[in-house]
Amino acid sequence: TNTKNHFNVVTYAGNSNNSTEITLDFQPDLIWIKNRTEGGSDGTSQHMLFDSMRIDSGNSRYQYWGTNNTSADQTNASGLQAITTSGFRPGSMTRTNESGDNYVAWCWKAGGSPVSNSDGTITSSVSANTDAGFSIVSYTGTGADGTVGHGLDAVPDCIILKNRDRSVEGIVKHTMMASGKVMYTNLTDGEDTASGSNNGIIGNLDNAKTFSLSRTGNSGNYNNVNVSGEKFIAYCWRSIPGYSKFGIFTGNGVGGGNAQPSGTVVRLGFKPALVILKRTTSDSGANWGMFDFKRLGYNKKVRDLRMNTNNSEGGDDDIISLDAEGFRITSTSSGFGGGNGITYIYMAWAENPGRLPFNMPPSSS
């Protein structure tokens, strides 16, 4: 019932040292690092996603990919140095630990060492934390429609998936997306049927054991999800009452400013530590907003980072307020939750356990 045993947000000041440990209350399996200070270049500030399952067999280094670009897995001698029983040691890269820069890391606990899973037509390797509704899934593509075991023993609410061997978009499937639609981690596009040279989709999230993969139409390909012989990684989450929630809301267009009008309020049943939100329709300003309780602005509002860009931390504190039972949109921006009548999906994890404990169904109200 301690959320910080399963997920936490940490901020730290870089020191260009390869031996500094960033401490948590658990051994993380997914570590998502972002340089808050520098922006505008992937060489200094791309998002850096490391996990316990992607280690290069040739040099024993942790592999990384970035949600803001299409690059395949990469390694660096000064990348993530170690995952420890109580945190992690970032390397001295500008993207992870340079002296003079500030960083944030969003960290999740999966299930440690992976196990083989044959629930789907494609055998997967799975590290699953069923208590906290999070699993990491690795598999090799077959070049055909198929299903993959996710290990959650419940229907997932959100999956982020990346082809590790090919320069293609990271793909997102959320439980509130329309049937047959997906979105991409590095784009401002809305829900899409995955047309174009790189496509393939994650099917509707409706199975407690597996998720499905398919191409789009007879002329489609599997580049994003299931190319034969290529490696893939997927991060899978499901809602846990009092700890995490994945949903949708409609903006009302009246948030904004110090006057504190009633912007859209989303009730979660807990005070969020991290909220990620995205407009469901295409717009040039529809970024993936990332807001957490460690990067505070003023009057309970928090600063933004954007999953789809390498920008430094935004100076606009007037977007979202993280409150005791959920979050409130304080912006009138159509890209960040404030558009009147526009729908937005969200993902949220708790700072502390909410009134609804683990594994207890929410009330009808």
Side-chain angles (χ1 to χ4, degrees):
T1 58
N2 181 357
T3 66
K4 293 182 176 62
N5 287 337
H6 302 271
F7 166 77
N8 207 353
V9 182
V10 290
T11 55
Y12 60 95
N15 61 12
S16 298
N17 190 314
N18 280 340
S19 60
T20 300
E21 181 175 8
I22 308 302
T23 59
L24 299 161
D25 292 336
F26 60 91
Q27 179 172 320
D29 290 290
L30 171 59
I31 302 164
W32 184 336
I33 300 173
K34 181 67 178 71
N35 187 324
R36 302 163 56 192
T37 306
E38 299 200 43
S41 165
D42 277 1
T44 59
S45 57
Q46 80 164 56
H47 288 258
M48 300 286 282
L49 278 72
F50 301 93
D51 64 64
S52 58
M53 292 176 62
R54 291 181 302 123
I55 300 174
D56 192 302
S57 59
N59 53 31
S60 298
R61 297 173 185 167
Y62 287 96
Q63 297 172 309
Y64 62 85
W65 69 280
T67 55
N68 61 284
N69 59 38
T70 62
S71 295
D73 272 352
Q74 301 177 63
T75 64
N76 189 294
S78 297
L80 181 67
Q81 300 299 291
I83 295 175
T84 70
T85 56
S86 57
F88 63 96
R89 294 203 307 268
S92 57
M93 295 175 71
T94 306
R95 286 168 275 183
T96 56
N97 193 28
E98 183 172 72
S99 180
D101 287 353
N102 293 315
Y103 298 83
V104 61
W106 305 287
C107 305
W108 287 265
K109 177 183 178 181
S113 298
V115 297
S116 180
N117 183 300
S118 57
D119 289 337
T121 60
I122 301 168
T123 299
S124 58
S125 184
V126 177
S127 174
N129 179 351
T130 55
D131 286 340
F134 173 59
S135 69
I136 302 175
V137 179
S138 175
Y139 65 93
T140 299
T142 62
D145 288 6
T147 57
V148 180
H150 52 65
L152 292 179
D153 292 329
V155 177
D157 288 297
C158 184
I159 296 175
I160 297 177
L161 188 155
K162 181 68 174 70
N163 185 329
R164 300 170 55 189
D165 292 330
R166 184 180 294 246
S167 181
V168 296
E169 294 84 3
I171 191 169
V172 181
K173 181 62 179 180
H174 188 283
T175 186
M176 292 298 177
M177 288 181 188
S179 179
K181 300 294 182 69
V182 294
M183 286 199 275
Y184 303 97
T185 63
N186 64 310
L187 301 177
T188 61
D189 295 6
E191 294 180 356
D192 186 21
T193 55
S195 60
S197 59
N198 292 320
N199 57 49
I201 63 171
I202 303 169
N204 296 340
L205 304 179
D206 56 12
N207 192 291
K209 294 293 185 181
T210 66
F211 59 89
S212 62
L213 308 169
S214 64
R215 63 181 183 180
T216 306
N218 293 331
S219 62
N221 58 52
Y222 295 97
N223 288 358
N224 285 322
V225 299
N226 200 26
V227 180
S228 180
E230 295 186 359
K231 298 186 295 294
F232 294 81
I233 196 77
Y235 308 124
C236 308
W237 291 272
R238 72 177 183 94
S239 295
I240 301 289
Y243 167 74
S244 61
K245 192 169 182 180
F246 303 80
I248 194 167
F249 68 92
T250 302
N252 64 15
V254 297
N258 293 323
Q260 297 286 299
S262 181
T264 300
V265 175
V266 179
R267 301 194 184 280
L268 303 170
F270 55 82
K271 183 178 181 181
L274 170 65
V275 173
I276 302 174
L277 61 84
K278 175 70 172 68
R279 175 174 167 160
T280 61
T281 53
S282 183
D283 181 83
S284 60
N287 297 289
W288 290 88
M290 303 185 74
F291 310 90
D292 64 68
F293 78 123
K294 291 293 182 70
R295 299 179 299 110
L296 297 176
Y298 65 89
N299 196 21
K300 297 191 295 184
K301 299 175 185 177
V302 296
R303 294 177 178 158
D304 73 282
L305 285 166
R306 304 178 182 190
M307 185 165 78
N308 56 292
T309 77
N310 54 27
N311 289 2
S312 59
E313 184 175 84
D316 183 0
D317 300 332
D318 196 14
I319 296 175
I320 187 174
S321 171
L322 305 183
D323 300 326
E325 291 294 321
F327 63 91
R328 178 168 50 87
I329 300 300
T330 58
S331 172
T332 56
S333 167
S334 63
F336 269 146
N340 188 27
I342 296 174
T343 58
Y344 304 83
I345 58 169
Y346 67 85
M347 318 166 197
W349 293 268
E351 175 183 347
N352 292 302
R355 294 180 300 174
L356 296 170
F358 277 35
N359 300 325
M360 182 176 180
S363 66
S364 59
S365 60

